[in-house]
Amino acid sequence: MSDLLTKTIVAVLMSLFFCFVNCVMLFALKSKRIFQETPRYILFSHMLMNDSVLLLVTTIMYAVALCFLPIPKSICTLLVFISYCTFRNAPLTLALMSLERYVAICFPLRHCNIATPKRTGIAIGIVWFLSSINIMTDIIFVLTVNPDYLAGIIFCTLEKLFLFKWQLDKYQAFDVLYFVSVAVIIIFTYISIMITARSVSSDKDSAKKALKTVLLHLIQLGLCLTSFLYTSIERTLYMMTGSNSSLFINLRYLNFLIILILPRCLSPLIYGMRDEALWPLFKYFFCYRSGKVKQNCSSQTYDNIIAA
């Protein structure tokens, strides 16, 4: 019992800590108006909020499963819906961020007209629609077949929403489609920016920064992809060790922390650390304005950094 409590506390504290880090970054982004009006920082803010919600919901679901607590199907459906959408929002948001850098470098004169805050908000809405359409069809289908479905109490997992095998096949097909599409977009933008960087001599520094940013998005996509291996790894561990062994329980716990949680924690942090405009502000607010870290950038300096 003490071992179970320790595991639950570690998982919860780890998620809460990185949610706090994300919240500090969000606060830093809200502290400067230029961040709120720049498309790439609007998208980064969305990624921070999305990953924070995902961390909280995933940790709640795992803690409930770890303690073998049955919950009402209605609450389970809501938790599954939120975790499903936020889980798939991340790669789609990375694709948007890469496209924004592609427009900024390859079409610099049209960037201000194409990548506006309003259009960025519309794009985020489309991301949510694309990420939710699959799970919404499953929920509607289940309620159509069994109108009393939400009245029961179950152990909460995504598979509980599946009544037929074709639903699982559809679920896996959508995941493959999401990641292949996002990978193609990021690779396309990287190659396009690389070609532009070689052909244009006047603004090579900006092009190189954009190349590094898109390459970082590709690495972040790889981190997202590791999360999709969580179920496959768990099934392999189950086949190798059996569900009742202590080895399986411990390995399953490590699988949850390292494969599912850690990539979501590191991805926004890595992106924020390499940002010349955001990182000093983050350190300033993270230290509770103690004076140990000072804001060295003026408003004009922020404008110049962001424009680059």
Side-chain angles (χ1 to χ4, degrees):
M1 184 66 183
S2 60
D3 184 49
L4 178 65
L5 182 62
T6 302
K7 289 179 180 178
T8 305
I9 291 174
V10 170
V12 170
L13 289 179
M14 183 176 175
S15 296
L16 289 178
F17 172 75
F18 281 102
C19 282
F20 169 73
V21 170
N22 289 351
C23 288
V24 174
M25 281 197 184
L26 278 171
F27 189 79
L29 287 167
K30 294 296 181 182
S31 67
K32 298 288 182 180
R33 187 172 181 179
I34 187 68
F35 289 139
Q36 302 175 40
E37 297 174 349
T38 307
R40 63 171 159 147
Y41 289 108
I42 295 173
L43 291 171
F44 183 52
S45 298
H46 174 256
M47 185 172 71
L48 288 172
M49 289 187 289
N50 182 81
D51 285 353
S52 297
V53 172
L54 176 62
L55 279 174
L56 290 174
V57 173
T58 304
T59 303
I60 290 171
M61 292 180 66
Y62 186 79
V64 168
L66 203 63
C67 299
F68 299 100
L69 294 175
I71 62 175
K73 286 184 178 180
S74 56
I75 296 177
C76 175
T77 302
L78 178 62
L79 292 174
V80 168
F81 175 78
I82 295 173
S83 65
Y84 183 93
C85 292
T86 52
F87 193 76
R88 281 143 193 85
N89 275 347
L92 294 175
T93 304
L94 289 175
L96 277 181
M97 295 172 80
S98 296
L99 286 172
E100 188 276 331
R101 288 292 83 198
Y102 164 74
V103 173
I105 298 303
C106 297
F107 305 98
L109 298 179
R110 299 177 58 192
H111 177 253
C112 293
N113 295 325
I114 296 175
T116 62
K118 182 179 179 180
R119 289 184 176 180
T120 304
I122 294 173
I124 290 173
I126 294 173
V127 163
W128 275 92
F129 172 76
L130 292 175
S131 64
S132 64
I133 188 171
N134 189 26
I135 189 70
M136 279 299 299
T137 55
D138 280 320
I139 293 173
I140 293 172
F141 175 77
V142 168
L143 292 177
T144 303
V145 174
N146 182 12
D148 298 326
Y149 175 80
L150 297 180
I153 296 177
I154 56 172
F155 291 102
C156 191
T157 61
L158 174 63
E159 287 74 15
K160 298 295 183 180
L161 294 177
F162 298 150
L163 299 181
F164 302 99
K165 186 180 181 300
W166 63 264
Q167 289 179 282
L168 179 60
D169 295 336
K170 177 171 68 70
Y171 166 81
Q172 293 172 342
F174 264 79
D175 284 346
V176 173
L177 178 63
Y178 281 144
F179 268 88
V180 170
S181 301
V182 171
V184 169
I185 290 172
I186 293 178
I187 292 171
F188 166 76
T189 55
Y190 183 82
I191 293 173
S192 299
I193 292 172
M194 183 171 60
I195 293 172
T196 302
R198 291 180 177 179
S199 61
V200 179
S201 58
S202 59
D203 199 12
K204 282 193 173 182
D205 290 339
S206 296
K208 287 180 180 179
K209 287 181 181 179
L211 271 177
K212 291 179 181 179
T213 300
V214 174
L215 183 60
L216 178 62
H217 293 164
L218 197 58
I219 295 171
Q220 289 175 295
L221 181 65
L223 290 174
C224 292
L225 185 58
T226 60
S227 301
F228 274 81
L229 300 176
Y230 171 76
T231 304
S232 300
I233 293 175
E234 186 169 303
R235 288 174 183 169
T236 303
L237 294 174
Y238 175 82
M239 293 172 61
M240 292 175 60
T241 61
S243 61
N244 295 323
S245 68
S246 59
L247 179 60
F248 170 75
I249 295 173
N250 292 328
L251 290 176
R252 184 183 179 222
Y253 178 71
L254 290 175
N255 184 37
F256 170 75
L257 287 183
I258 297 173
I259 301 299
L260 196 62
I261 295 297
L262 195 59
R264 298 298 186 179
C265 297
L266 293 178
S267 183
L269 187 61
I270 293 172
Y271 189 90
M273 286 177 65
R274 67 170 298 277
D275 193 284
E276 297 176 6
L278 178 61
W279 186 242
L281 267 179
F282 169 77
K283 290 190 292 184
Y284 173 74
F285 287 113
F286 190 78
C287 295
Y288 300 104
R289 303 180 182 181
S290 62
K292 295 178 181 178
V293 179
K294 298 181 179 179
Q295 297 188 75
N296 295 320
C297 295
S298 64
S299 297
Q300 185 63 39
T301 306
Y302 277 111
D303 291 345
N304 293 336
I305 292 174
I306 291 171

